[in-house]
Amino acid sequence: MSFDYFPTTTIFIGVAAFSALIACLYAFVLYKKVTKIKVNHQRIEEISSYIHEGAMAFMKRQYTIIIYFALGVGSLLALTELIPSLQGAEGVGWKAAIAFIFGALFSGLAGWIGMHAATKANSRTTSAANTGGMPSALRVAFSGGSVLGLTVVGLGLFGLTALFFIFYWVYGGNTGVPREQYLALTHAINTVTGYGLGASLIALFGRVGGGIFTKAADVGADLVGKVEAGIPEDDPRNPAVIADNVGDNVGDVAGMGSDLTESYIGSIISALTLGLYAFVTFTPQQVMDGIVTIDSSVLSGIFASVLYPLLIAGFGAISAVVAVWMIRRKDWHRPQFALSMSTYLAALVMLVTSLVLSHVLFDGVRAWGVFGAVTTGLFVGIGIGFIAEYYTSSDYKHVKEIANQSLTGHATNVIAGYSVGMLSTFLTVVVLVAGIVISYLFTGDMYGIALAAVGMLSTAGITISVDAYGPIADNAGGIAQMSKLDEGVRKITDKLDSVGNTTAAIGKGFCIGSAALTSIGLFFAFEKSAGLSDGRGIDILQPGVMVGVFIGAMLPFLFTSLVIKSVGRAANKMIDEVRRQFKEDPGIMEGTSLPDYARCVDISTKAALKEMILPAMIAVFSPIIAGVFLGAEGLGGLLVGGLVSAIMLAVFMANSGGAWDNAKKFIEEGNLGGKGSDAHKAAVTGDTVGDPFKDTAGPSMDILIKLMSIVSLIIVPILAQIEPILSFLFN
Amino acid sequence: MSFDYFPTTTIFIGVAAFSALIACLYAFVLYKKVTKIKVNHQRIEEISSYIHEGAMAFMKRQYTIIIYFALGVGSLLALTELIPSLQGAEGVGWKAAIAFIFGALFSGLAGWIGMHAATKANSRTTSAANTGGMPSALRVAFSGGSVLGLTVVGLGLFGLTALFFIFYWVYGGNTGVPREQYLALTHAINTVTGYGLGASLIALFGRVGGGIFTKAADVGADLVGKVEAGIPEDDPRNPAVIADNVGDNVGDVAGMGSDLTESYIGSIISALTLGLYAFVTFTPQQVMDGIVTIDSSVLSGIFASVLYPLLIAGFGAISAVVAVWMIRRKDWHRPQFALSMSTYLAALVMLVTSLVLSHVLFDGVRAWGVFGAVTTGLFVGIGIGFIAEYYTSSDYKHVKEIANQSLTGHATNVIAGYSVGMLSTFLTVVVLVAGIVISYLFTGDMYGIALAAVGMLSTAGITISVDAYGPIADNAGGIAQMSKLDEGVRKITDKLDSVGNTTAAIGKGFCIGSAALTSIGLFFAFEKSAGLSDGRGIDILQPGVMVGVFIGAMLPFLFTSLVIKSVGRAANKMIDEVRRQFKEDPGIMEGTSLPDYARCVDISTKAALKEMILPAMIAVFSPIIAGVFLGAEGLGGLLVGGLVSAIMLAVFMANSGGAWDNAKKFIEEGNLGGKGSDAHKAAVTGDTVGDPFKDTAGPSMDILIKLMSIVSLIIVPILAQIEPILSFLFN
């Protein structure tokens, strides 16, 4: 098919944008459906309003800070216009600043809406469990989660396609002259990279700040409430109980959602960039310099490569809509089955539509190649999820082994979990590397790897929906407990919650896998933009590259240490506050007076936002500093060192944490002495060690590597203008 | 000065060999001095003979297995002669096989002698503390450690120089024709690489097997003895007590010694190899092909570069002899001061002699350059040691913080220690990278980095002596306890032991730093041999290299997991055995019958040797497999990924482990509730978690990266002959 003239391109971009809008629309319908459910139970409403208000208070405070950050970064980007040598360079300048602001805006809006829906859906889930039983509770919780899932892909993709189209038009894409259309395309793609940076900013705050918030509240609530005061989990007398429930939303809804939004947008941007280089032997620079001329057939091929990832993402949004719609139609009594079905259904729709699309946009072998790359990504996502489940589920030997090691004490439990997490890197890396190799072979270049990332993340809509369902069900259980509802209601929410734990483990694997593939895609987009593969590449034998690799590999360790210390400090503040409230008002423990929930939420909020500043600075500034000192080559080394080190730590920490958690639950189910036994106490230690691993430090790794990659991609035009300070480290 | 004719070279090599012999001779004198001391105390003699016999039984069993391994690997190397395309290739073939066998033999012999001396010196130290007080006990323990230190550098260097000289002669170095002398030099250097592989084989068994042995015995003795039976540490009623004391020798004497021997020899070999490329623009291949002609002035310069590291090592041996001799002359009442003095003294002697040597072998700027590189290495070693001390000593805030976190429970203690270890990677990497950059700048190429490694390891003789002193003092304390000597004797040995703990922490930092620099040196030697820098280098943008980096970064995590699991399994066997003995013979607890010590030693021995097979296979075969599948480039990626990942894990685990240990000791000194408090229990958990970190997995990382590097260097000629199976991953 031919794509060399304006209307065809418009139609195809329009299809992607329209798909995104459908997802938004359906999210709106679901939001209305969820919120119009009447709760009719004063206690449920009260408790849930605390959670809702706490969560929105956190979001508001967080977004206020983000606005300052966004204006700062946006201004810096815009100000590069003043540097003569950077005028006209894309990726920086006022257009990139606009893209950046829109990226932050759309991504932030998606998070806001999703959070709103989730904290409305929790009480409705409790209420539905109370009045309608399992199927209707499941439907409400799943619908609540789907609002986030569909908004993320809908808004994220719509903003990206719209901006892309506008910039294409602004840069003169409607001239009908192949060369100018090609250059407009190049400029538009470079400019929308700023959109990805905007999503990254939201993800940085969402994931790292959210991770610190949720664990500070969790540890504070548990340590003083459960251990010191001896009151059960989710007891309304615990001043930190609302903060703990808010934390579930802040970490597992907003944090997870922003992480996958970043991956989703990052993967598309890397595929757009690499699409410019796919199946051709020239570079945009050569076209600009007039060395290569573009005719309409060449342009047609390039358009196909560039439009393909946008449309795959669009069909992904549709597949999520279809899956959610189908699942909602039936009364499910087995929640695990329903959630799995939704994922498989979406994947199936994706496979079929992308098969068709591949043959519309490409011919013959190439059509099968791009389809193969997308499919590879889908399977890698599923594969890494399964590996995470294998190492973290008590159905398999590893978690049982950790539980057994709890019999000999705290230390042996910790060592066993540590060892299982490290072991899990092996299979994960094997699958990831196989995915990289296979997707590369399918297209014969890096474009295939970027397509694999897009393919994996095409299911982001449904994956986020399923993931966000978990904390809603968890909250619903907490509300049921605090509202003193029947044992039967709690049973339903417990069942829903336990399914949520499995999906969370798989989801965490998916987040890591997608962050890895996206970062690799962005890395190759970076090197293409910087023109590194035209020269001598990124040669490890250059001392400057070696230095970059070393420092890059160290950063994830430093980052981990900092966020874990942050959790500790924030948790200590929470502990002090809970103790203070118990001490100053004995009525709280007696149940005669209400604790000050808002203050605990406030403490977690302030601590989370304050504590994330240093790690955030490291993530943002280390690539810039590396670029200035070591140049694009050394920065490339830094990215690769950081990438591999962060992936290993992310996998290790997520799986160790999940395995410890489930080993504890396995004992709590009555095995090896059950609750209260010495083995259980040891298992609680492991679980507590694992909490910041799996919910703060581990997920932060995803952000670290994506953010460093996208910052690097953004600063390419600046690096092209300066001589690295340590240039003597290159010969 | 001119080095282009045979006699001068001979004289200089002779100086290095002679220095090595002096070290051997002085080690022999010290051995005699130590062993001729009469113990005159039946109980001390009895206990120490158990330890001695246990240790030598382990060594014997281990060396029996090593002999099979050595014959196997040696045969494989020799058999490459049968492959037509490999005939005449150095690094493999029967000559390399001979070098390999000698490397294993000399390195093994040094370990054997050192172990013999250490397990003789322990009882003499106890006896000296009993009869002569602190100064004489210190002298005996230090002399015992010095036997290992001096034998390692003496035998290691003598074997290397002798072989090097013989091969130089065999390859026709005495012809007087510059080109032939140059080629003989090249061939001789490539061939003696096999000597390094021999040392690596010993180190693999010594460090990994020793690490598993020592922790299995330690955990077994503690868990059943201290925790279950409630008897104190080093109680003769504990069946595993001898195994525990043997373990100190096996891990901290033989293991540590073999690790530093490997670094020592590896660093010299990498400097020899890179010396061929230093300050010249041609490669040996170009000389062989006749593209470049060698005249006597060029040859002279190359000889200077090659002889320099050998002579630096020789002067290092002398400096150790001088330092040991000086320290032994005085009666020291402050052991910490005495040991520090010995290190500084040796470093000072090294600095002065290498300054003179630099100006003898090189002229002007170059002389200062090589001297600067050597000095940089010395300071990097000291710097990394100090950083290790900062993060692991209770004099500084981090360990105190861990102790404080013990107040809130097991989990917070574990998290705090974990976080401190990760944080310590930052400064360590900064110092390491600074060392790489500065030493590179001093010579303008990779030769400088290799010289820094040689400079750092030139102090190996004294570092090993000081390090090996620790377990001897520790053993002496155990023997005093088991022999029921006066409280006063135990006080002296406790003082000596506590100093040993500080030196052990610094020593561990030194081991890691030296392993890192040596591996980097070997890595660059590998790429030079493989001719990678002549082509496009090791370009991360090649998918095959990227795959290598990913897998390489994963291997240390897998390796860590495996050895930690091994410790767990071996410890369980020990626990079962100790319980069985207590149960079957109640007389043991009553003190009326003797436990079966030998059986516990036997269990640790068997378990250690069995459990190390899988990790050993991974270390040896992964570079070979990577080379076959991904070629030299991909293997280069694997090495770099493995290098950075292993260094981070080594630093993190060593420092976490050390910090936990000292946090526990800090509490035991009476702080935060002291012994028996809940905080103490939490601190014990951290210490137990840290044990396999710092004594098994962490040090194993050193071996992993050096072994992978040297195996890679060895297989270069084979890789040159084959097309990598996944060659389609390179474009």
Side-chain angles (χ1 to χ4, degrees):
Chain A
M1 194 178 279
S2 171
F3 297 96
D4 54 344
Y5 62 100
F6 189 56
T8 318
T9 324
T10 313
I11 291 166
F12 274 82
I13 293 179
V15 169
F18 185 70
S19 309
L21 279 180
I22 289 178
C24 289
L25 196 71
Y26 190 51
F28 182 72
V29 170
L30 288 178
Y31 178 77
K32 281 286 159 201
K33 273 187 199 285
V34 168
T35 49
K36 85 167 182 214
I37 300 171
K38 288 275 174 296
V39 173
N40 290 334
H41 189 293
Q42 197 228 325
R43 187 87 184 120
I44 295 182
E45 276 182 344
E46 194 186 327
I47 298 283
S48 96
S49 76
Y50 291 139
I51 298 175
H52 177 72
E53 279 155 26
M56 297 327 280
F58 171 76
M59 295 296 276
K60 206 170 153 186
R61 186 93 57 99
Q62 189 186 40
Y63 280 21
T64 313
I65 297 182
I66 289 179
I67 287 173
Y68 289 110
F69 254 81
L71 290 178
V73 175
S75 307
L76 282 178
L77 278 176
L79 282 174
T80 56
E81 292 280 345
L82 300 179
I83 302 168
S85 60
L86 289 177
Q87 274 164 17
E90 316 91 30
V92 292
W94 68 267
K95 296 195 199 77
I98 288 178
F100 164 73
I101 296 287
F102 270 88
L105 198 68
F106 276 64
S107 175
L109 196 60
W112 184 278
I113 294 170
M115 193 70 159
H116 214 275
T119 55
K120 291 278 173 195
N122 53 13
S123 57
R124 272 81 178 171
T125 304
T126 316
S127 174
N130 195 19
T131 55
M134 168 79 82
S136 66
L138 172 65
R139 179 176 296 126
V140 177
F142 182 64
S143 304
S146 301
V147 174
L148 178 69
L150 296 171
T151 318
V152 157
V153 297
L155 276 184
L157 182 61
F158 179 75
L160 183 63
T161 35
L163 268 183
F164 172 69
F165 182 69
I166 292 169
F167 282 122
Y168 177 62
W169 186 80
V170 166
Y171 283 120
N174 56 343
T175 52
V177 183
R179 180 174 183 276
E180 290 183 17
Q181 279 180 258
Y182 173 81
L183 291 178
L185 193 65
T186 310
H187 296 335
I189 289 170
N190 288 339
T191 307
V192 294
T193 305
Y195 189 83
L197 185 65
S200 282
L201 180 71
I202 301 292
L204 176 67
F205 276 84
R207 217 17 155 173
V208 183
I212 296 171
F213 182 112
T214 182
K215 285 305 118 182
D218 189 14
V219 172
D222 280 4
L223 221 66
V224 188
K226 279 207 270 188
V227 182
E228 288 183 17
I231 54 179
E233 176 125 21
D234 288 329
D235 190 299
R237 289 173 296 175
N238 191 334
V241 72
I242 296 296
D244 192 8
N245 277 280
V246 169
D248 290 341
N249 289 294
V250 160
D252 296 340
V253 177
M256 175 276 299
S258 65
D259 187 349
L260 283 178
T261 309
E262 184 191 21
S263 288
Y264 181 68
I265 293 172
S267 69
I268 300 173
I269 286 174
S270 71
L272 291 176
T273 308
L274 292 172
L276 289 174
Y277 302 82
F279 312 121
V280 296
T281 50
F282 57 85
T283 67
Q285 192 59 49
Q286 289 172 321
V287 178
M288 270 178 244
D289 296 346
I291 302 168
V292 171
T293 51
I294 297 283
D295 64 18
S296 61
S297 79
V298 169
L299 185 62
S300 210
I302 286 175
F303 263 116
S305 306
V306 166
L307 291 177
Y308 185 69
L310 280 181
L311 284 161
I312 288 284
F315 290 163
I318 296 294
S319 74
V321 170
V322 171
V324 173
W325 183 74
M326 297 274 277
I327 295 300
R328 272 182 53 86
R329 290 187 60 201
K330 237 181 96 117
D331 275 348
W332 300 88
H333 287 268
R334 287 160 56 206
Q336 179 69 67
F337 183 73
L339 296 176
S340 303
M341 276 309 296
S342 72
T343 309
Y344 295 134
L345 199 62
L348 191 71
V349 174
M350 256 317 296
L351 276 183
V352 174
T353 50
S354 67
L355 179 61
V356 174
L357 179 68
S358 307
H359 284 88
V360 169
L361 291 181
F362 300 93
D363 298 322
V365 177
R366 203 168 280 180
W368 288 105
V370 292
F371 173 69
V374 167
T375 311
T376 305
L378 261 173
F379 281 105
V380 168
I382 294 170
I384 291 180
F386 272 128
I387 294 168
E389 210 208 330
Y390 172 67
Y391 284 103
T392 61
S393 157
S394 56
D395 294 343
Y396 304 98
K397 66 173 180 179
H398 292 291
V399 169
K400 286 197 184 117
E401 173 63 21
I402 298 173
N404 271 326
Q405 290 293 332
S406 312
L407 291 170
T408 37
H410 300 259
T412 41
N413 167 287
V414 171
I415 292 174
Y418 178 84
S419 170
V420 166
M422 291 228 156
L423 187 63
S424 71
T425 59
F426 174 64
L427 280 183
T428 309
V429 167
V430 167
V431 169
L432 196 61
V433 163
I436 293 171
V437 169
I438 294 169
S439 57
Y440 172 83
L441 289 181
F442 266 122
T443 65
D445 63 5
M446 303 307 171
Y447 181 59
I449 300 175
L451 284 186
V454 172
M456 187 177 192
L457 282 151
S458 65
T459 61
I462 197 71
T463 307
I464 297 173
S465 302
V466 170
D467 257 24
Y469 147 93
I472 295 175
D474 190 3
N475 260 228
I479 294 171
Q481 174 87 5
M482 287 186 267
S483 309
K484 303 190 176 85
L485 298 185
D486 279 1
E487 190 63 21
V489 177
R490 182 76 200 189
K491 245 187 193 146
I492 292 174
T493 57
D494 274 359
K495 176 74 196 154
L496 293 178
D497 184 23
S498 89
V499 172
N501 283 328
T502 309
T503 60
I506 297 176
K508 237 154 230 156
F510 187 84
C511 282
I512 296 167
S514 69
L517 274 189
T518 301
S519 303
I520 295 171
L522 287 171
F523 169 74
F524 283 113
F526 157 77
E527 67 88 0
K528 286 286 183 201
S529 282
L532 290 172
S533 49
D534 308 334
R536 59 185 170 192
I538 301 176
D539 182 3
I540 303 172
L541 301 179
Q542 297 292 331
V545 174
M546 179 72 103
V547 166
V549 174
F550 263 90
I551 293 178
M554 176 268 292
L555 287 176
F557 284 79
L558 176 63
F559 200 85
T560 296
S561 173
L562 293 177
V563 298
I564 285 183
K565 273 182 196 293
S566 294
V567 170
R569 271 192 300 266
N572 279 334
K573 281 184 197 151
M574 183 65 82
I575 289 168
D576 288 344
E577 172 61 20
V578 175
R579 281 186 186 150
R580 188 194 65 77
Q581 290 199 23
F582 276 146
K583 200 176 145 199
E584 290 183 4
D585 186 354
I588 295 176
M589 271 301 280
E590 289 155 18
T592 54
S593 58
L594 214 60
D596 187 350
Y597 298 133
R599 196 159 166 150
C600 287
V601 172
D602 195 53
I603 283 173
S604 243
T605 303
K606 275 190 190 146
L609 295 174
K610 186 185 147 208
E611 289 291 347
M612 64 163 298
I613 292 176
L614 182 61
M617 293 289 170
I618 290 175
V620 173
F621 286 105
S622 51
I624 298 176
I625 295 170
V628 171
F629 277 82
L630 298 169
E633 278 177 70
L635 174 54
L638 182 99
L639 289 180
V640 168
L643 184 64
V644 292
S645 171
I647 291 172
M648 301 308 147
L649 285 182
V651 171
F652 147 56
M653 289 196 286
N655 291 341
S656 280
W660 273 314
D661 190 359
N662 284 328
K664 183 196 72 173
K665 286 186 179 133
F666 180 72
I667 292 178
E668 283 174 352
E669 283 161 14
N671 300 298
L672 304 168
K675 235 173 170 161
S677 64
D678 279 347
H680 182 241
K681 282 186 191 125
V684 168
T685 294
D687 181 40
T688 314
V689 171
D691 263 347
F693 276 40
K694 73 178 196 306
D695 293 327
T696 314
S700 296
M701 296 291 107
D702 307 348
I703 306 301
L704 178 68
I705 49 172
K706 283 182 290 184
L707 190 62
M708 294 205 317
S709 307
I710 201 142
V711 168
S712 305
L713 186 54
I714 293 275
I715 62 173
V716 160
I718 300 173
L719 294 183
Q721 300 296 330
I722 55 174
E723 169 86 344
I725 294 175
L726 301 182
S727 59
F728 52 77
L729 286 177
F730 298 88
N731 45 43
Chain B
M1 197 180 277
S2 171
F3 297 97
D4 55 343
Y5 63 102
F6 188 58
T8 318
T9 323
T10 312
I11 292 166
F12 275 82
I13 295 178
V15 169
F18 185 68
S19 309
L21 279 181
I22 290 178
C24 290
L25 196 71
Y26 191 49
F28 182 72
V29 170
L30 288 179
Y31 178 77
K32 281 286 159 198
K33 272 184 199 284
V34 168
T35 48
K36 83 167 185 214
I37 299 171
K38 288 273 173 303
V39 173
N40 289 333
H41 188 293
Q42 197 228 326
R43 186 86 184 122
I44 296 181
E45 276 182 347
E46 192 186 329
I47 297 284
S48 95
S49 76
Y50 290 138
I51 299 175
H52 177 73
E53 278 157 26
M56 296 328 282
F58 171 75
M59 294 296 277
K60 205 170 155 185
R61 186 96 54 100
Q62 189 186 38
Y63 280 20
T64 312
I65 297 181
I66 289 179
I67 287 174
Y68 288 111
F69 254 80
L71 290 177
V73 175
S75 307
L76 282 178
L77 278 176
L79 282 174
T80 56
E81 292 279 345
L82 300 180
I83 303 168
S85 59
L86 287 178
Q87 274 163 16
E90 316 92 29
V92 291
W94 68 267
K95 295 194 201 79
I98 287 178
F100 164 74
I101 295 287
F102 270 89
L105 198 68
F106 276 64
S107 176
L109 195 59
W112 183 277
I113 294 170
M115 193 70 159
H116 215 275
T119 52
K120 290 278 173 191
N122 53 14
S123 57
R124 272 81 177 171
T125 303
T126 317
S127 172
N130 195 20
T131 55
M134 168 80 81
S136 67
L138 172 64
R139 179 176 296 125
V140 177
F142 181 65
S143 303
S146 301
V147 173
L148 178 68
L150 295 171
T151 318
V152 156
V153 297
L155 274 184
L157 181 63
F158 179 75
L160 182 63
T161 34
L163 267 182
F164 171 68
F165 182 70
I166 292 168
F167 282 122
Y168 176 63
W169 188 80
V170 167
Y171 284 120
N174 57 343
T175 54
V177 183
R179 181 176 183 274
E180 289 184 17
Q181 279 179 259
Y182 173 81
L183 292 178
L185 194 64
T186 311
H187 297 334
I189 290 171
N190 289 338
T191 307
V192 293
T193 305
Y195 189 82
L197 185 66
S200 283
L201 180 71
I202 301 293
L204 175 67
F205 276 85
R207 219 12 156 177
V208 183
I212 296 171
F213 183 112
T214 182
K215 284 305 117 180
D218 189 14
V219 172
D222 281 4
L223 221 66
V224 189
K226 279 206 270 187
V227 182
E228 287 183 17
I231 53 179
E233 175 125 21
D234 287 330
D235 191 299
R237 288 173 295 174
N238 192 332
V241 72
I242 296 297
D244 191 9
N245 278 280
V246 168
D248 290 340
N249 289 294
V250 160
D252 297 340
V253 176
M256 177 275 300
S258 65
D259 186 348
L260 284 178
T261 310
E262 185 191 19
S263 288
Y264 181 69
I265 293 172
S267 69
I268 299 173
I269 286 175
S270 71
L272 291 176
T273 308
L274 292 171
L276 289 174
Y277 302 83
F279 313 119
V280 296
T281 51
F282 58 85
T283 66
Q285 191 60 47
Q286 289 171 321
V287 178
M288 270 178 244
D289 297 345
I291 302 169
V292 172
T293 51
I294 297 282
D295 64 18
S296 62
S297 79
V298 169
L299 185 62
S300 211
I302 286 175
F303 264 116
S305 306
V306 167
L307 291 177
Y308 186 68
L310 278 181
L311 284 161
I312 288 283
F315 290 164
I318 296 294
S319 74
V321 170
V322 171
V324 173
W325 183 73
M326 298 274 277
I327 294 299
R328 274 182 51 88
R329 291 187 60 202
K330 238 182 94 117
D331 275 349
W332 300 89
H333 287 268
R334 288 160 56 207
Q336 178 70 66
F337 183 73
L339 296 176
S340 303
M341 275 311 294
S342 72
T343 309
Y344 294 132
L345 198 62
L348 191 70
V349 173
M350 256 316 296
L351 277 182
V352 174
T353 50
S354 67
L355 178 62
V356 173
L357 178 68
S358 308
H359 285 85
V360 170
L361 291 181
F362 301 93
D363 297 323
V365 177
R366 203 168 280 179
W368 288 105
V370 292
F371 172 66
V374 167
T375 311
T376 305
L378 261 172
F379 281 106
V380 168
I382 293 170
I384 291 180
F386 272 128
I387 294 168
E389 211 209 329
Y390 172 66
Y391 284 103
T392 60
S393 156
S394 57
D395 294 343
Y396 304 99
K397 66 173 181 179
H398 293 290
V399 169
K400 287 196 182 115
E401 174 62 23
I402 297 173
N404 272 324
Q405 291 293 333
S406 312
L407 290 171
T408 37
H410 301 258
T412 40
N413 167 287
V414 171
I415 291 174
Y418 178 83
S419 171
V420 165
M422 292 229 155
L423 187 64
S424 72
T425 59
F426 174 64
L427 280 183
T428 309
V429 166
V430 167
V431 169
L432 197 60
V433 163
I436 294 171
V437 168
I438 293 169
S439 57
Y440 173 83
L441 289 180
F442 266 122
T443 65
D445 64 4
M446 304 308 173
Y447 181 58
I449 300 175
L451 284 186
V454 172
M456 188 177 190
L457 283 151
S458 65
T459 61
I462 197 71
T463 307
I464 297 173
S465 302
V466 170
D467 257 25
Y469 146 91
I472 294 174
D474 190 3
N475 259 228
I479 294 172
Q481 175 88 4
M482 288 185 266
S483 310
K484 303 192 175 84
L485 298 185
D486 278 2
E487 190 64 21
V489 176
R490 181 76 198 188
K491 246 190 190 141
I492 292 174
T493 58
D494 274 359
K495 177 72 196 155
L496 294 178
D497 184 23
S498 89
V499 171
N501 283 327
T502 309
T503 60
I506 298 177
K508 237 156 230 155
F510 187 84
C511 281
I512 295 167
S514 68
L517 274 189
T518 300
S519 303
I520 295 171
L522 287 170
F523 169 74
F524 283 113
F526 157 75
E527 67 89 2
K528 286 285 182 199
S529 283
L532 289 171
S533 49
D534 309 334
R536 60 186 171 192
I538 300 176
D539 183 4
I540 302 172
L541 302 179
Q542 298 292 331
V545 174
M546 180 72 104
V547 165
V549 174
F550 264 89
I551 293 179
M554 176 270 291
L555 287 176
F557 284 79
L558 176 63
F559 200 86
T560 297
S561 174
L562 292 177
V563 297
I564 285 183
K565 274 185 195 292
S566 295
V567 169
R569 271 191 301 266
N572 279 335
K573 281 185 197 151
M574 185 63 83
I575 290 167
D576 289 344
E577 171 63 19
V578 176
R579 282 186 186 147
R580 187 194 64 78
Q581 289 201 23
F582 276 145
K583 200 175 146 200
E584 291 183 4
D585 185 354
I588 294 178
M589 272 301 280
E590 289 156 17
T592 54
S593 59
L594 216 60
D596 188 349
Y597 299 132
R599 197 161 163 148
C600 288
V601 172
D602 194 53
I603 283 174
S604 242
T605 302
K606 274 191 191 144
L609 295 173
K610 185 186 148 208
E611 289 290 348
M612 64 162 297
I613 292 175
L614 182 60
M617 293 288 170
I618 290 175
V620 173
F621 286 105
S622 50
I624 298 176
I625 295 170
V628 171
F629 277 82
L630 298 168
E633 279 178 68
L635 174 53
L638 181 99
L639 289 181
V640 168
L643 184 64
V644 293
S645 173
I647 290 172
M648 302 307 147
L649 285 182
V651 172
F652 147 57
M653 290 195 284
N655 289 341
S656 280
W660 273 314
D661 189 357
N662 284 328
K664 184 196 72 172
K665 287 188 178 131
F666 180 73
I667 293 177
E668 285 175 351
E669 284 160 12
N671 301 295
L672 304 168
K675 234 171 171 163
S677 64
D678 279 349
H680 182 242
K681 281 184 192 129
V684 168
T685 294
D687 181 41
T688 315
V689 171
D691 263 347
F693 276 40
K694 71 179 198 305
D695 294 326
T696 315
S700 296
M701 295 292 106
D702 307 347
I703 306 301
L704 177 68
I705 49 172
K706 283 181 290 184
L707 190 61
M708 294 205 317
S709 307
I710 201 140
V711 169
S712 305
L713 185 55
I714 293 275
I715 61 173
V716 160
I718 300 174
L719 295 182
Q721 301 295 332
I722 54 173
E723 169 85 346
I725 293 176
L726 302 181
S727 60
F728 52 77
L729 286 177
F730 298 87
N731 46 43

